[in-house]
Amino acid sequence: MTNCCENMVWCFSKVFLFVLNFIVFVVGIAVIVVASLILSEGQQFQALLEDGTFSIAVSLLVLGIIVMIVGFFGCFGAIKESPCLLYTYAGIVLVLLVAQISVSIYLFVNKDKLMDIVGDNMVKLFGKIGGNDTELTHNLDLAQNALGCCGVYNYTDWVTGVIETNVTSLLDGGVPDGCCLDMES
């Protein structure tokens, strides 16, 4: 009787581990697909997402590949009952757990500094609106409109001097076209 129950528990654990890691594998593939779509179709947000060659979409792509590999090791290790694959899987999960905890602590401790860096970079980027780069201006207008936001912190950024720009084409309220609910084409 004990042997039968042990086999059922082992069988349940094996199936549970497989199903759980199959879901992780599918999520990894979904993240890869979303990142690929952002890279290929999300041109209007590229100005907000990237600085040079490093971007959020590329980060998502790398993250999706890592998640997919972890899911693969977990699925295949559970099916084959391979100690090598299961140890590899456990090692990767442990490293990811330690990295996640470390990054979370770092971000929590430095959240004000991080917010300042992001805010300063956005102020610099938004300061280029209306300049020679008409594509950047158009993309920032589209992004503000689609995300329902205006400026970096709020709409007053345009009139209080938070965002310094030489734009003479601001609308009557002192904001760019992208801040309006109905953008002019």
Side-chain angles (χ1 to χ4, degrees):
M1 182 79 174
T2 307
N3 192 18
C4 177
C5 290
E6 287 175 5
N7 285 338
M8 285 181 58
V9 169
W10 174 249
C11 183
F12 176 75
S13 298
K14 180 179 169 179
V15 169
F16 180 74
L17 186 62
F18 173 78
V19 169
L20 181 66
N21 284 289
F22 184 75
I23 292 169
V24 169
F25 182 77
V26 169
V27 166
I29 291 173
V31 170
I32 291 170
V33 168
V34 168
S36 299
L37 288 173
I38 290 172
L39 283 171
S40 65
E41 301 295 328
Q43 296 304 315
Q44 68 209 38
F45 297 108
Q46 283 301 94
L48 292 176
L49 298 177
E50 70 181 18
D51 184 20
T53 58
F54 183 74
S55 71
I56 291 174
V58 172
S59 301
L60 277 175
L61 190 61
V62 170
L63 179 69
I65 290 169
I66 291 170
V67 168
M68 187 182 74
I69 290 170
V70 169
F72 171 77
F73 278 125
C75 281
F76 202 67
I79 293 282
K80 293 292 184 180
E81 298 178 18
S82 168
C84 180
L85 285 174
L86 289 173
Y87 289 140
T88 302
Y89 167 75
I92 292 172
V93 169
L94 181 64
V95 167
L96 290 175
L97 179 65
V98 169
Q100 184 178 6
I101 291 170
S102 301
V103 168
S104 297
I105 290 170
Y106 176 79
L107 291 176
F108 180 75
V109 169
N110 295 306
K111 66 182 172 194
D112 293 333
K113 183 178 177 182
L114 180 66
M115 293 298 289
D116 289 342
I117 290 170
V118 170
D120 291 345
N121 285 334
M122 287 184 67
V123 166
K124 287 178 192 172
L125 183 66
F126 276 64
K128 296 177 184 177
I129 283 185
N132 294 335
D133 192 350
T134 57
E135 184 178 346
L136 174 70
T137 299
H138 180 70
N139 288 340
L140 287 172
D141 279 343
L142 285 175
Q144 286 185 103
N145 190 266
L147 297 172
C149 61
C150 183
V152 176
Y153 304 104
N154 61 44
Y155 73 95
T156 61
D157 294 348
W158 296 105
V159 291
T160 59
V162 171
I163 298 173
E164 295 179 13
T165 183
N166 296 330
V167 178
T168 56
S169 62
L170 293 178
L171 300 175
D172 292 336
V175 297
D177 193 30
C179 292
C180 300
L181 292 176
D182 295 322
M183 271 182 46
E184 297 175 8
S185 297

